[in-house]
Amino acid sequence: MKIILTAALAAGLGFAAGGAAFAYDGTNCRAPGNCWEPKPGYPEKVEGSEYDPLHDPTEVSKQGESLQAMDARNAQRVAHFKQTGEFVYDVSKIPAQ
Amino acid sequence: MIANNGLRGAPSRLAFSAALAAFGLTASPVLSNDKLVELAKDPANWVMTGRDYNAQNFSEMTDINKETVKQLRPAWSFSTGVLNGHEGTPLVVGDVMYVHSPFPNTVFALDLNEPGRIIWQNKPKQNPTARAVACCDVVNRGLAYWPGDGDVEPLIFRTLLDGHIEALDAKTGETRWKMENSDIKVGSTLTIAPYVIKDLVLVGSSGAELGVRGYVTAYDVKTGEQKWRAFATGPDEDIRLAEDFNLANPQYGQKNLGIETWEGDAWKIGGGTNWGWYAYDPDVDLFYYGSGNPAPWNETMRPGDNKWTMAIWGRDPDDGMAKFAYQKTPHDEWDYAGVNVMMLSEQEDKDGTPRKLLTHPDRNGIVYTLDRTNGDLVSADKLDDTVNWTTGVQLDTGLPVRDPEFGTRMDHKATDICPSAMGYHNQGHDSYDPDRKLFFMGINHICMDWEPFMLPYRAGQFFVGATLTMYPGPKGDRENALGLGQYKAYDAITGEFKWEVMERFSVWGGTMATAGGLTFYGTLDGFIKARDSDTGELLWKFKLPSGVIGHPMTYKHDGRQYVAINYGVGGWPGVGLVFDLADPTAGLGSVGAFRRLQEFTQQGGGVMVFSIDGESPYSDPMVGEYDPAMPGEPT
């Protein structure tokens, strides 16, 4: 209840321009293209809250690493294909430049 | 790879003369996208997913019309030899039909002079683990065709579920090159059809249900060399924003929002994959597509607008730079993955000004029409009056006004939200009739209850975090789980529906329209149907072997108009049937909604081709017969 009251007060003070922000309706923007607001009773930031996703940085970086490795293998395939006219998928069978 | 005697017969005369025209009558060197435009003008061909770059699924042919449609009969058919969902539609170029299949994504080339002959088939070896990270059946949406140039013969492109993009020689089926685009070890797969613009092939991405950060990639058609890659979230240089990005509509947002509308590093696993369809305007030189939902489905774990997921994009095909983007569903709370079909048209707006437009029926229950030169919002209408998460979209700001009662959040079970996560419109590729100025849309009528839960992110594992129950919308029969679909004719300028009808199940596969005044579509309960484009009256139908989740197509061969459609139920609505699931919340909530489907259809897989009176090359029964007098001749 305390949090809801705070949100209502903030709206009343003009923090949210487009009307009373008793609930998130998507029309009170802090900047163009940035109109999210926490719902009443929910945190502005989830870090440190009961809803903290606690993402493991190692897990979160795996996609980027995987893309880099695929791109590197593809580059070897393309280089060999362009040079010889022969396409070899298995990079271990592509002779070193 | 099995290849036999290569291409038999010459390309159809129409196709040939169109190609000649493209070569002979143009003074400047002909770009291959011009060749595709020329080929698409010939009713003999269907050279890309939506027939041509306008993605209208419209044919000028009138042989099959309101009068003759009652005589439509099967001419021939072909089984792909695999089950699971058969999405997309075959391509026809000259005398050859190219057919794709779900996993393992075999491609077949069929001889239209004698469709019993498989000219070649290319069956790839794939890591079967790919099946385990496919969210919604092992479907694939189609092939792409590049017409060739002086150096390289025509090519067919396909995506593989295990993440590869591959170029095949259109005449022999042999692999020219094969590149890695997506890694199943991190939950990233491919189901989207490739798309050819100029000498580039575009490849989308899948896996937002496994936290995959979405991207679109362009490869050189001849070598497979990567030309550019644009992400949906993160730093502007990754998203590839042009200098004048959203200059016409700064209220949509411009710089740094791929980071600022997320908390911390959440954008790195933020979804935004694109697995829908593309359209392209050669004059404006922009291509259009939609980015998907943010990850996870649990909205409480990702504060912010989560840009640029759920956005309509206009990008330059040469360098991938975005000229505009409009976010339809800021901070998604319902999995309204914004990847749906983009249909281009030229119409006068309410002020009588001719506009180059893009019309897009979204999962969120709104059909958007934008000026495709700059992203101006022209109209945003509800697909059905039962949409309740928003009271409507403000055309000046572009913002949807949310009804907080139908939002989702942690420690709360939201009920009766419409549309459901399956959307009021899903992956179906619809059609537009330019004479009638009507869009024919296959619509879903499904609502849901939704309760999120906390979960960790582990690369390669599902990252959903919500439990769903889905059921028919208010106009359906909730007690009997029927009445899950609608079919409507829509005017994007007036916002009016010229007609609308209910369907037993969702119209999942899309539609096709013809100048014969007909609109065709397939149904999940196993019919292909033809309706009167002006009234919606049902004029004809045929019971196919299995339900349909692909879009119909039409082509002319030897002076005869054919209509073809894939059958083979599956996709998200079919996961209960396909994987034999009983828990109504299984299959991301679709099992309960479609519990009656198995009473109407079972799995299948193939193409059925129709013509007036079922006329085909085999109307002469001697065509294709074995001739013992010529034992050395490959038949």
Side-chain angles (χ1 to χ4, degrees), chain B residues 104-118:
Chain B
N105 307 121
T106 304
V107 178
F108 302 92
L110 305 180
D111 182 352
L112 291 180
N113 294 314
E114 202 186 318
R117 298 287 307 166
I118 300 171

Side-chain angles (χ1 to χ4, degrees), chain B residues 105 126 130 134 138-141 158-166 179-184 187-193 203-207 215 219 274-275:
Chain B
N105 307 121
Q126 287 196 67
V138 294
V139 295
N140 186 281
R141 294 190 185 84
R158 73 160 162 214
T159 54
L160 301 180
L161 188 70
D162 74 3
H164 289 93
I165 168 70
E166 191 169 359
M179 298 294 158
E180 296 175 83
N181 184 79
S182 308
D183 183 357
I184 58 171
S188 185
T189 52
L190 282 176
T191 59
I192 191 173
V203 181
S205 49
S206 291
Y215 52 94
Y219 297 90
N274 64 107
W275 45 269

Side-chain angles (χ1 to χ4, degrees), chain B residues 167-211:
Chain B
L168 313 177
D169 185 298
K171 287 195 174 134
T172 66
E174 285 169 15
T175 298
R176 177 175 172 85
W177 56 257
K178 180 178 179 179
M179 298 294 158
E180 296 175 83
N181 184 79
S182 308
D183 183 357
I184 58 171
K185 288 193 191 69
V186 298
S188 185
T189 52
L190 282 176
T191 59
I192 191 173
Y195 197 75
V196 168
I197 299 175
K198 304 182 190 182
D199 290 337
L200 298 168
V201 57
L202 302 181
V203 181
S205 49
S206 291
E209 279 58 57
L210 294 97

Side-chain angles (χ1 to χ4, degrees), chain A residues 1-16 19-23 37-41:
Chain A
M1 194 58 210
K2 194 175 164 189
I3 299 169
I4 293 170
L5 199 66
T6 316
L9 270 177
L13 291 171
F15 168 79
F22 287 102
E37 296 174 282
K39 292 170 183 165

Side-chain angles (χ1 to χ4, degrees), chain A residues 43 57 72 91:
Chain A
V91 290

Side-chain angles (χ1 to χ4, degrees), chain B residues 4-28:
Chain B
N4 56 26
N5 54 346
L7 259 185
R8 287 155 45 84
S12 81
R13 263 171 296 182
L14 272 170
F16 190 60
S17 54
L20 269 184
F23 280 118
L25 299 177
T26 315
S28 57

Side-chain angles (χ1 to χ4, degrees), chain B residues 407-450:
Chain B
T408 70
R409 58 188 191 269
M410 272 298 292
D411 306 318
H412 171 74
K413 182 177 180 179
T415 57
D416 258 324
I417 305 169
C418 306
S420 77
M422 298 180 95
Y424 269 2
H425 192 287
N426 204 284
Q427 62 85 36
H429 194 310
D430 287 332
S431 57
Y432 172 72
D433 182 327
D435 301 325
R436 291 172 174 79
K437 301 192 189 306
L438 288 175
F439 291 90
F440 301 105
M441 300 187 295
I443 291 171
N444 303 337
H445 194 60
I446 313 172
C447 303
M448 66 176 173
D449 301 344
W450 171 300

Side-chain angles (χ1 to χ4, degrees), chain B residues 49-104:
Chain B
T49 50
R51 204 183 85 80
D52 66 12
Y53 281 130
N54 289 318
Q56 294 175 344
N57 274 356
F58 177 78
S59 170
E60 296 284 353
M61 285 189 283
T62 55
D63 305 359
I64 300 171
N65 55 47
K66 294 182 191 186
E67 302 303 317
T68 60
V69 70
K70 286 182 172 57
Q71 297 162 252
L72 210 52
R73 301 280 181 276
W76 57 273
S77 63
F78 174 74
S79 166
T80 60
V82 291
L83 298 176
N84 292 100
H86 282 60
E87 288 186 355
T89 201
L91 301 185
V92 165
V93 188
D95 278 357
V96 183
M97 175 183 281
Y98 299 95
V99 177
H100 68 287
S101 86
F103 185 90

